Amino acid sequence: MSWAEEDWTVGLSGRVLQKVKELQVFKERLSRENKQKQLQLDNIHTSLEKQTAKVNTDQSLPQPDIPIPALKAASLKSCNTS
């Protein structure tokens, strides 16, 4: 593809060629940043799926019949006796 890029720049002034080069470098940088952000997004999505699966698994486990305040009080008593 580089030959096609060079064809259309033939005859352009030095100043315009410099601007074209700057824009090409800028485009490449944006492309790299886009790939990096997409990878981060994919990783976050994978992490979310794993956490969602874990929560769903935890919710399917039998829950204790002890009310939450009683659990807190029991844990506080065990902390005070230590």
Side-chain angles (χ1 to χ4, degrees):
M1 177 139 175
S2 62
W3 64 268
E5 291 175 3
E6 292 172 8
D7 277 353
W8 70 269
T9 59
V10 171
L12 296 177
S13 69
R15 185 175 175 189
V16 173
L17 287 172
Q18 179 62 32
K19 186 64 176 178
V20 167
K21 181 66 176 167
E22 289 173 10
L23 290 172
Q24 288 172 335
V25 169
F26 183 65
K27 177 188 163 254
E28 290 170 8
R29 184 176 62 92
L30 289 177
S31 180
R32 283 191 307 270
E33 287 177 7
N34 186 35
K35 287 178 183 177
Q36 183 179 13
K37 288 182 188 291
Q38 186 61 49
L39 180 61
Q40 290 173 342
L41 182 61
D42 292 343
N43 289 339
I44 290 169
H45 188 260
T46 301
S47 177
L48 175 62
E49 287 177 342
K50 287 180 181 179
Q51 289 177 0
T52 302
K54 184 176 187 257
V55 167
N56 290 340
T57 301
D58 290 347
Q59 288 177 349
S60 67
L61 295 175
Q63 300 296 319
D65 292 333
I66 304 171
I68 299 289
L71 285 175
K72 287 183 181 177
S75 67
L76 286 176
K77 286 180 185 176
S78 66
C79 289
N80 289 338
T81 59
S82 299

